[in-house]
Amino acid sequence: MTGMSPTSADDYLALDDAALLRQCRVENFRVSGPGGQHRNKTDSAVRLTHEPTLVVAQASERRSQHENRRRALARLRQAIAFEVRRPVDLDTYTPPPPLDAVLTAKKARRIGPRHRDYPQGVQSFLDLFLAVDCALGKAAGYAGTSTGALSRFVVANRPLLRRVNQLREERGLRPLRP
């Protein structure tokens, strides 16, 4: 496939926050530990379970349930990007816009890890990466960038580097070095 369209049933990361949250089971709970006398008196911690994929994310570091829900949702997007794979047809592959947005050479147009659409680019990269059997050079060729640029993209995001190395290790390949 040429990447998934935003209307695709399994393109969860293209959903806005409210729509993604509607697909989740939300649990509020108390946590113990430091944080003042109010921390363990309220159910401010939030755990989100994305029902279609069973991916789970949580946040408990803030006193505000609203802030913890926002953080848990951001973590859920990252977890979905790392765990949910979509098929890629290499015969007709063209890099989807989210992947272009994270890899573009023009800094003014490139998006980074704090951007809401960044997980979509990471997911598109990982879909392609698995389709080429975790070969960074082949992925770079399909993505229309250099191997060095793709390597810098992976190494710049520590959680992504860990996931890429985990996938490479599962296939008996050497890990990428930071």
Side-chain angles (χ1 to χ4, degrees):
M1 275 179 208
T2 60
M4 304 303 256
S5 67
T7 58
S8 176
D10 61 351
D11 196 1
Y12 307 115
L13 298 178
L15 300 173
D16 64 26
D17 287 349
L20 184 58
L21 198 55
R22 281 193 299 274
Q23 293 184 340
C24 294
R25 181 175 64 240
V26 179
E27 299 171 78
N28 299 312
F29 58 99
R30 293 180 189 174
V31 293
S32 61
Q37 60 183 317
H38 298 291
R39 177 147 183 181
N40 61 2
K41 290 184 179 180
T42 63
D43 293 343
S44 60
V46 176
R47 181 180 302 116
L48 301 176
T49 303
H50 187 243
E51 295 287 355
T53 62
L54 300 179
V55 173
V56 177
Q58 71 180 35
S60 62
E61 58 271 14
R62 299 287 184 194
R63 282 183 176 179
S64 163
Q65 189 180 92
H66 177 73
E67 178 63 20
N68 284 334
R69 181 176 287 128
R70 188 186 66 74
R71 286 172 178 248
L73 200 52
R75 290 177 184 155
L76 180 67
R77 285 184 183 283
Q78 179 178 337
I80 289 172
F82 285 179
E83 300 302 325
V84 177
R85 299 284 55 89
R86 301 165 304 167
V88 171
D89 181 357
L90 294 175
D91 293 332
T92 61
Y93 187 81
T94 57
L99 183 58
D100 279 341
V102 297
L103 294 179
T104 186
K106 296 183 187 339
K107 277 194 167 189
R109 292 183 22 223
R110 183 172 48 212
I111 63 173
R114 293 182 183 220
H115 194 281
R116 184 191 168 288
D117 296 336
Y118 187 78
Q120 285 181 278
V122 169
Q123 184 180 44
S124 296
F125 162 70
L126 288 171
D127 292 342
L128 173 62
F129 188 63
L130 279 173
V132 296
D133 295 321
C134 300
L136 201 62
K138 285 183 181 179
Y142 281 103
T145 191
S146 70
T147 304
L150 193 56
S151 178
R152 285 188 295 277
F153 164 70
V154 171
V155 169
N157 181 329
R158 292 283 187 203
L160 178 59
L161 178 61
R162 280 192 298 275
R163 183 65 177 139
V164 162
N165 282 337
Q166 177 187 27
L167 294 169
R168 288 178 60 87
E169 183 180 319
E170 290 170 3
R171 285 152 184 80
L173 301 171
R174 291 181 310 161
L176 300 179
R177 287 177 282 158

